[in-house]
Amino acid sequence: MPSDSRAAQTLMDLVLTLFRVNNAMLVWGDRLVQPFGLTSARWQVMGAIAYADQPRPVAWLARDLGANRQNVQRIVNELEKEGLVVFQSNPRHKRAQLVVLTASGRAAYEQAVEVWYRAADELAMGLSQEELAMSVQVLRTIRSRLTADDAAEGGEAR
């Protein structure tokens, strides 16, 4: 039975808009980083590698991204074939190798980040810092509630 709750209806609008924004952002991001031989997905994984405080195995990267481990593994394998990342032995686990950006991988990532900041400034034009911060807070709260439910059910928190 559909809810008569205004909050539920507004949340439904938010979710549908979020799906559409996500799809549009991926297309936009693909165009943005294409000159560097990247896609949005590859750039996202490279970002997780670049921002980690130490080299991580694929499973940890997937957890950091809230993504499926198999998908991240596929992307990391592609990046490795193209010389953008390398695998290093993991002293804590024989089979779970660590993923590290190569010099060319770091250069491609940093070029993409530089282009991102210019494009992001244009994208954010006309939105106040307060509006953007509130949007981030709302989405973090929803994500936190979703992952808490998932963890309570014994699933992977994403």
Side-chain angles (χ1 to χ4, degrees), residues 46-117:
M46 291 172 76
I49 297 166
Y51 281 101
D53 56 350
Q54 62 187 13
R56 298 182 184 272
V58 168
W60 287 26
L61 294 171
R63 187 186 64 215
D64 291 347
L65 291 167
N68 179 284
R69 186 194 58 77
Q70 290 84 355
N71 289 341
V72 174
Q73 183 69 62
R74 178 186 52 78
I75 292 167
V76 167
N77 290 344
E78 291 171 2
L79 292 169
E80 193 263 342
K81 284 179 187 172
E82 294 181 20
L84 299 173
V85 301
V86 293
F87 293 106
Q88 293 180 347
S89 62
N90 183 347
R92 293 189 176 123
H93 195 286
K94 289 183 182 180
R95 290 180 44 205
Q97 293 181 308
L98 303 174
V99 184
V100 179
L101 290 175
T102 63
S104 60
R106 182 157 300 279
Y109 176 77
E110 288 175 359
Q111 288 174 317
V113 168
E114 187 176 314
V115 169
W116 155 257
Y117 277 109

Side-chain angles (χ1 to χ4, degrees), residues 11 138-152:
L11 185 58
V138 167
L139 293 174
R140 282 184 178 155
T141 299
I142 291 170
R143 181 174 186 261
S144 175
R145 290 176 184 175
L146 291 170
T147 57
D149 288 347
D150 198 28

